[in-house]
Amino acid sequence: MSPDAPVVLLEGVRARDHAGEAGRPRGSLFGAAAALGPGVHAILGAPEDGTLAIAELLAGRAPPLAGRVLVGGRDPFRSAATRARIGVLSAAPELPDAASVASSMAMALRVRDEPAARAAALLEPLGVAPLLARRRASLSFAEARAVELALALGLPAPLLICLVEPFAEVAVPSPEPVRERLRALAADGACVVLITSSTVDARALADHIHVLDHGVIARTEPGHGDRLAGPPRPGAAMPEAELFVLVHERAPDAPGARALTAALAASPAVRAGAWERGPADVSSTVRVRTADREAAALAILDAAAREDVAIVAISSLAPSMRDVRAATALHLAAARPRRPFGAPSSAGVAPLPVAAPLPAAPLPAAPPVGPVAVAAFGAPVSPGPPLLPATPSDPSAPPVPSTPPGLPGPTPPLQAPAGAQTAAPGAVSADGQAEVPPSLANGAPRAAETGRHDGG
């Protein structure tokens, strides 16, 4: 294998897993293609998308129905030498059948030509060494997966480490030793594949995030994951991120979230901001939209120091799988060319470009919940599209749709919460209600969004 060759190669793979009842499949692959080199890769999706099918293929436990799977240049299903260099954590425990954990690990190590005495050295870094003295039948589901994870991470000179949900239902006291070991293996040239449905785990560790959607690897994004739920619009320099600031409301007359939001209006690092009261009015949450997460965090700290605002925490929530699926649908719509009417459909599934132009229209925001105050900072004003008349001139004629069939209708303008009073940008009322400038009442694209945010 040449140094530039990918460690894992999938070419037009069709397969199905055997994870359902009575061996029936839960998910399938339809022409999946990928080339994974050394580093940490996250395959993000659900079992119904085919994540478990990919896990079985990479572990060499099943052949593809069509296409080709190579690990280190060889088919892992046909090459025992290749399977010996693949560390695997399956969705369900598969420890060798033995009376004790020590005997079970000794059998696994013997297959790898390693001494049985090494079992304790594998469990110790993860903090699960006491499991070695247990009976195998006494292990819980999570404890058995912890032992298998230790065996996978301790594989000498691995080509591939394939882990299914390594941070869920695994009885490891802390995930940090696992992350450190995976980073070390990737730095030594191994290909680490995390198969997960958690956007938090994917963002925290992966160098590349591959979104698996209905059996096809639809998109690949950088590991920081900022584009998972919002692909950048054409011409945008950087994707927007959102920060959540928890503010302690010390007293009714003390500076709090309202003062912090108003102070951030002058910061060039902040594009938009909003705040809402917490329970019992003892805390509030400030939401900040920004293109530079670090610069915005520093601006928040500076503004809090100037206004004497007590900040409890600053966090950035990962997008949920619902957000990822919505953004992936936009990606697919832009990447796949439209087929002319009457033209025959192409055979198979064509590979999608990694970076394709995406539509500029964002998804509509969820309706606001609870008392919310909004302050838009320097949002440009763009008039919405003209609306067609709702009814024709002839009353007896049938209604005329405002939009041709099959096309989405115009996005309704954003509305301020009931009872809100409009004011200049950055101004906030004394009772903490919304204050939106009249020029932004038409739903400018960079006005603050006040809907719920589902974290990963």
Side-chain angles (χ1 to χ4, degrees):
M1 186 177 68
S2 65
D4 297 332
V7 179
V8 174
L9 183 64
L10 305 177
E11 293 182 340
V13 173
R14 298 177 63 89
R16 62 176 65 98
D17 60 42
H18 302 84
E21 295 182 1
R24 290 192 291 269
R26 289 188 62 186
S28 302
L29 300 176
F30 304 97
L36 311 181
V40 183
H41 301 263
I43 297 180
L44 184 63
E48 291 72 22
D49 294 316
T51 55
L52 299 182
I54 281 190
E56 292 182 359
L57 294 175
L58 296 184
R61 295 174 180 172
L65 299 178
R68 187 170 64 155
V69 178
L70 298 178
V71 176
R74 296 185 178 182
D75 185 347
F77 181 73
R78 300 179 181 275
S79 173
T82 301
R83 290 196 301 272
R85 298 186 63 186
I86 300 176
V88 178
L89 175 65
S90 303
E94 297 179 349
L95 284 173
D97 191 5
S100 65
V101 175
S103 301
S104 183
M105 293 190 68
M107 294 173 62
L109 292 172
R110 191 178 304 119
V111 173
R112 292 168 16 178
D113 293 329
E114 295 184 74
R118 191 166 180 259
L122 296 181
L123 298 176
E124 182 65 33
L126 302 186
V128 292
L131 297 179
L132 190 62
R134 296 267 298 276
R135 292 175 52 249
R136 177 184 173 275
S138 71
L139 295 180
S140 66
F141 183 91
E143 289 171 339
R145 276 174 51 87
V147 175
E148 288 192 1
L149 179 61
L151 286 170
L153 297 181
L155 183 68
L159 278 173
L160 169 66
I161 301 293
C162 180
L163 309 178
V164 178
E165 298 290 359
F167 304 106
E169 292 191 285
V170 179
V172 175
S174 171
E176 195 54 38
V178 179
R179 294 186 180 126
E180 292 177 358
R181 178 60 180 164
L182 292 177
R183 293 188 185 101
L185 291 172
D188 290 338
C191 178
V192 177
V193 176
L194 308 179
I195 299 177
T196 180
S197 60
S198 170
T199 59
V200 175
D201 294 341
R203 284 164 49 105
L205 190 62
D207 302 317
H208 306 279
I209 301 175
H210 312 272
V211 179
L212 186 65
D213 184 72
H214 294 85
V216 177
I217 297 180
R219 18 180 337 218
T220 296
E221 302 293 351
H224 52 71
D226 287 336
R227 295 172 58 190
L228 280 175
R233 297 181 294 274
M238 294 182 64
E240 280 194 349
E242 190 168 23
L243 295 179
F244 293 79
V245 185
L246 182 61
V247 176
H248 173 50
E249 300 289 354
R250 295 169 293 183
D253 57 344
R258 183 169 64 92
L260 180 62
T261 307
L264 290 174
S267 174
V270 175
R271 291 185 175 178
W275 68 278
E276 59 186 22
R277 294 281 187 183
D281 290 340
V282 297
S283 66
S284 300
T285 300
V286 177
R287 298 171 57 187
V288 172
R289 300 286 295 181
T290 178
D292 190 335
R293 198 190 311 266
E294 288 75 15
L298 292 176
I300 292 170
L301 294 176
D302 291 341
R306 292 194 310 269
E307 301 295 329
D308 192 23
V309 176
I311 291 181
V312 179
I314 301 176
S315 64
S316 178
L317 299 181
S320 66
M321 278 303 300
R322 182 185 65 180
D323 301 329
V324 175
R325 292 187 187 282
T328 302
L330 293 177
H331 177 92
L332 295 176
R336 287 176 174 162
R338 293 182 178 270
R339 180 165 57 94
F341 180 76
S345 60
S346 57
V349 179
L352 298 174
V354 174
L358 296 167
L363 294 176
V369 176
V372 179
V374 178
F377 306 150
V381 178
S382 59
L387 299 180
L388 298 178
T391 55
S393 57
D394 184 4
S396 63
V400 178
S402 60
T403 307
L407 296 180
T411 303
L414 296 178
Q415 298 294 334
Q421 297 180 356
T422 60
V428 183
S429 65
D431 58 354
Q433 297 301 311
E435 298 186 354
V436 183
S439 60
L440 298 179
N442 64 345
R446 284 168 54 186
E449 301 173 0
T450 58
R452 285 195 300 269
H453 183 91
D454 297 329

